[in-house]
């Protein structure tokens, strides 16, 4: 088991207008969350998000904990 000493998060945001004008949003990969938290070994991965009227606006985040 890996001690959960640090936490990192990566999020993606998008809206229907953004997808129409620019294309699909990127992603919120685990690797980016690990880099943001200075994590080299992960012990837990979680996610949270928010959306407004389905695809009109959304935010999706990956949260990684580890050491």
């Amino acid at each position: 088991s890996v001690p959960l000493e640090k936490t990192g998060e990566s999020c993606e945001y998008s809206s229907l207008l953004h997808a129409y004008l620019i294309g699909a949003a990127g992603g919120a990969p685990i690797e980016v969350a690990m880099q943001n938290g200075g994590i080299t070994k992960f012990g837990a991965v979680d996610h949270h998000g928010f959306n407004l009227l389905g695809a009109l606006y959304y935010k999706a985040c990956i949260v990684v904990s580890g050491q």
Side-chain angles (χ1 to χ4, degrees):
S1 143
V2 176
L4 306 179
E5 301 168 348
K6 302 176 185 176
T7 301
E9 180 176 76
S10 67
C11 298
E12 74 172 322
Y13 308 86
S14 188
S15 67
L16 197 56
L17 180 61
H18 180 267
Y20 176 74
L21 294 176
I22 300 173
I30 291 174
E31 293 84 5
V32 172
M34 290 177 68
Q35 289 174 357
N36 290 344
I39 298 169
T40 56
K41 295 180 184 177
F42 70 88
V45 178
D46 198 4
H47 66 92
H48 62 89
F50 169 81
N51 74 50
L52 178 64
L53 299 175
L56 184 63
Y57 172 83
Y58 79 90
K59 172 184 173 183
C61 299
I62 300 288
V63 180
V64 178
S65 300
Q67 70 180 136

